[in-house]
Amino acid sequence: MIQGYRFQKVSLRISKSGQRVYFNAESHKDFSMLKGIALSVGYDGALFGSTFGFRVDEKKVLDESHEAHLLVFGNDVSPNDRMLFFETPIPIHSAKLEGIYTDSALQSLLGNISYSPGGGVIAATDVNVKKTYVSGKDIVSYGNAVVDNVPVYNAPINIGLGNSSMTMPSTGASPSAPAPVYYPYDVKITMFLSR
Amino acid sequence: MKNNKFQRIRLRVSSAGETLRFNAVCDKGFRNIKGIFVSLPQDKAIQGSMLGFRLNNVEVLDDGHEVKNLTASNGVAPNSKFFLFPEKIEALGGSIEGRYTDGSKYPLLVDNGEDSGVYDPGKVDFKTLAGYTTNPYGVVFPYDVIINIWLTNEA
Amino acid sequence: MTKTRIIYHPVPFIVRQPLTPVTINTVLPSHIRKVTGIKVVHSVGVQSMTTAAYLPVIGYLSLEFNNKQYHFGHLDVPFDNRAEASDAYHDAAIDIMAGSLLTGNYENKVFTGIEYQKADGTITDKWSNYIVTIYLKALSDD
């Protein structure tokens, strides 16, 4: 016997700045609805600029540029409100669940100068790397995960590796010191399933 | 006869990464488990800690369930601090088997050959990893975990 | 009736100068039938210009849907670097014409002084480009 709900979880480990990690999983066969999703991330400092895309049966629910911090809920809201709940639950029948987490994805766009001087809408192709939903030559395979081999930065910012904190040497201002990001850190994805 | 009771289970955690198993019996005279609230004396101990339990051998929360989603800060009204189960869970004096895992080892899991990607917590032998005994958040041991289980007779 | 499902569609844009408004002009994916909620957030960048974790307004955004036929109004864009999320969206119920434009303007309201942009228009190193993202909660028929 099982309960009529389940919190299906996937854990990811991010070991480098800028890393992308892809997973796929099958929704638990005894449940027919996906009602919500939430992330938890090892460090607050890792939240901003990191993104999480999510698909169900190859249909996009969250774009790859969806910010991870919008899916992470703090201790100051009621435990029952700590999810992004879908107004229309997503039907699942042993569905293929896919996600892609990219560390510091948006920071790498800040230095992009291909827009008009004032700025402008960032093209989806700049944010979304289509190849990431399939195994490609730039991606190393890892079990049922694929992980980008080398992070590439064009931006004039430097995100510290290891134990150093994030720094932004391109600005002369004294930035608020963001919470440091230590690698590796873990990301847990919790999906709320019901029968 | 009262309609509600907060049954408490107290655990003592004495070292980083410790896993504690516990057993309890729901107070007789209450029909359902309505919710759960885990109280920890140190905020630092919340990150990465996990709590799962089964009731009469049926999984209610899996062992990887994060304590952070079963607790709340003082900014949340007392009645809203409980995680309320999405459905009625029949209690009726049932037996609880649970597992609590301290999370203070959480971020320092380092390269065991599988340092990134998707991992199965059930398959990673944490104890063989370097850094396992390090305590990055400065959690003070021992500390006590209080698990509050909200029992009710309300429909 | 066509079967629809929920989708979250982000439209990120970059702000590169403190004084020049950003023009938003983008075609929404044709499978988006209806927008049911809107949220505008600061994504990254501003944190390197301030020590504050929260600023109630960093700029104003005006948005129009359906090739400028539907004016959604003006929104204040806050900066919030605290690790607290909310699934709250501004409620909306806008039927979207297939392949129509999402248009608008964004006006930056912070860090506009001479120490960020010199009189000759060049940007100083105190300024940091930043990204704001418009999230559309939508029904899709793809």
Side-chain angles (χ1 to χ4, degrees):
Chain A
M1 203 188 104
I2 53 169
Q3 303 289 354
Y5 65 89
R6 187 181 186 89
F7 295 101
Q8 187 168 343
K9 301 183 180 80
V10 176
S11 300
L12 309 177
R13 171 142 316 149
I14 311 299
S15 59
K16 285 195 279 247
S17 169
Q19 193 165 50
R20 300 167 76 84
V21 175
Y22 163 88
F23 73 86
N24 65 55
E26 191 176 280
S27 67
H28 194 286
K29 62 180 169 42
D30 294 327
F31 298 88
S32 63
M33 288 290 170
L34 174 64
K35 289 188 159 175
I37 190 168
L39 299 190
S40 92
V41 175
Y43 289 100
D44 287 355
L47 281 176
F48 293 94
S50 297
T51 57
F52 181 70
F54 183 65
R55 302 203 301 183
V56 177
D57 281 337
E58 307 200 343
K59 298 272 192 187
K60 182 163 79 180
V61 177
L62 302 174
D63 188 85
E64 265 186 64
S65 62
H66 204 99
E67 290 165 77
H69 78 86
L70 297 177
L71 302 164
V72 177
F73 296 83
N75 216 7
D76 289 338
V77 292
S78 166
N80 284 76
D81 294 334
R82 285 189 208 151
M83 262 207 174
L84 178 72
F85 290 102
F86 304 124
E87 278 160 40
T88 320
I90 300 168
I92 45 169
H93 296 281
S94 298
K96 183 180 177 190
L97 307 170
E98 292 173 286
I100 185 148
Y101 181 92
T102 310
D103 178 78
S104 315
L106 299 180
Q107 280 90 338
S108 64
L109 298 169
L110 283 176
N112 195 322
I113 52 165
S114 61
Y115 303 101
S116 69
V121 173
I122 297 171
T125 46
D126 283 353
V127 190
N128 297 352
V129 183
K130 300 288 185 222
K131 69 184 183 201
T132 51
Y133 275 123
V134 292
S135 189
K137 63 178 164 50
D138 297 333
I139 299 171
V140 294
S141 179
Y142 178 85
N144 63 336
V146 283
V147 180
D148 261 15
N149 214 353
V150 186
V152 179
Y153 276 109
N154 301 318
I157 66 167
N158 170 29
I159 294 165
L161 288 163
N163 288 340
S164 64
S165 60
M166 293 170 74
T167 52
M168 299 243 176
S170 65
T171 60
S174 51
S176 60
V181 184
Y182 300 99
Y183 297 92
Y185 67 86
D186 287 356
V187 178
K188 272 197 179 181
I189 298 125
T190 302
M191 292 165 280
F192 176 27
L193 274 48
S194 91
R195 284 217 254 191
Chain B
M1 179 75 195
K2 288 189 301 179
N3 263 335
N4 290 286
K5 176 175 175 125
F6 299 107
Q7 185 173 350
R8 300 208 299 171
I9 299 168
R10 185 188 287 257
L11 308 174
R12 173 149 297 184
V13 182
S14 45
S15 62
E18 188 176 12
T19 293
L20 297 165
R21 291 175 191 282
F22 60 92
N23 290 287
V25 176
C26 293
D27 272 17
K28 289 194 180 69
F30 294 93
R31 207 177 299 147
N32 296 314
I33 296 183
K34 183 173 178 178
I36 183 171
F37 169 60
V38 180
S39 144
L40 296 180
Q42 304 166 61
D43 281 353
K44 292 175 288 193
I46 294 173
Q47 181 71 54
S49 292
M50 296 177 289
L51 174 76
F53 75 93
R54 298 163 80 83
L55 177 69
N56 291 337
N57 236 3
V58 177
E59 184 177 275
V60 177
L61 294 173
D62 65 87
D63 285 346
H65 205 85
E66 291 169 275
V67 168
K68 76 187 273 280
N69 289 329
L70 303 172
T71 189
S73 74
N74 268 339
V76 178
N79 279 0
S80 306
K81 279 185 173 165
F82 277 76
F83 172 73
L84 304 178
F85 291 105
E87 64 181 20
K88 270 183 215 159
I89 297 182
E90 200 172 270
L92 289 171
S95 57
I96 288 175
E97 296 163 62
R99 197 171 99 148
Y100 176 90
T101 306
D102 174 74
S104 26
K105 64 190 175 9
Y106 175 76
L108 284 184
L109 294 173
V110 290
D111 195 343
N112 64 339
E114 296 186 349
D115 68 340
S116 64
V118 184
Y119 70 95
D120 178 353
K123 288 183 187 157
V124 178
D125 182 2
F126 292 137
K127 303 217 172 192
T128 63
L129 300 179
Y132 175 79
T133 53
T134 335
N135 178 358
Y137 295 135
V139 176
V140 178
F141 294 95
Y143 67 88
D144 284 2
V145 179
I146 297 173
I147 302 163
N148 294 274
I149 294 179
W150 187 345
L151 298 168
T152 185
N153 276 324
E154 287 161 5
Chain C
M1 190 182 139
T2 330
K3 204 173 166 207
T4 53
R5 63 188 189 86
I6 196 156
I7 188 170
Y8 292 82
H9 180 72
V11 180
F13 61 87
I14 188 164
V15 182
R16 295 182 57 208
Q17 289 187 353
L19 301 172
T20 315
V22 178
T23 304
I24 291 147
N25 195 345
T26 185
V27 177
L28 291 180
S30 56
H31 56 82
I32 289 184
R33 308 288 355 135
K34 184 171 190 165
V35 169
T36 61
I38 296 172
K39 168 152 63 187
V40 185
V41 300
H42 161 267
S43 301
V44 284
V46 169
Q47 78 283 352
S48 55
M49 293 187 280
T50 178
T51 53
Y54 175 72
L55 299 170
V57 180
I58 55 169
Y60 303 124
L61 177 71
S62 75
L63 271 187
E64 297 134 358
F65 290 86
N66 289 337
N67 305 329
K68 302 192 178 180
Q69 288 176 28
Y70 183 100
H71 186 219
F72 182 75
H74 298 268
L75 296 159
D76 291 352
V77 180
F79 163 70
D80 194 343
N81 221 27
R82 299 170 297 188
E84 290 290 312
S86 149
D87 69 351
Y89 276 68
H90 291 282
D91 283 336
I94 307 165
D95 292 315
I96 300 295
M97 293 154 41
S100 63
L101 288 172
L102 171 69
T103 51
N105 270 289
Y106 177 78
E107 241 180 283
N108 173 63
K109 286 291 166 197
V110 284
F111 313 113
T112 51
I114 195 89
E115 65 271 38
Y116 296 97
Q117 184 167 15
K118 293 185 224 160
D120 66 3
T122 54
I123 303 302
T124 72
D125 63 1
K126 283 193 175 221
W127 168 262
S128 163
N129 294 348
Y130 67 87
I131 294 173
V132 170
T133 306
I134 306 161
Y135 284 88
L136 303 175
K137 182 165 65 172
L139 296 176
S140 158
D141 67 358
D142 68 346

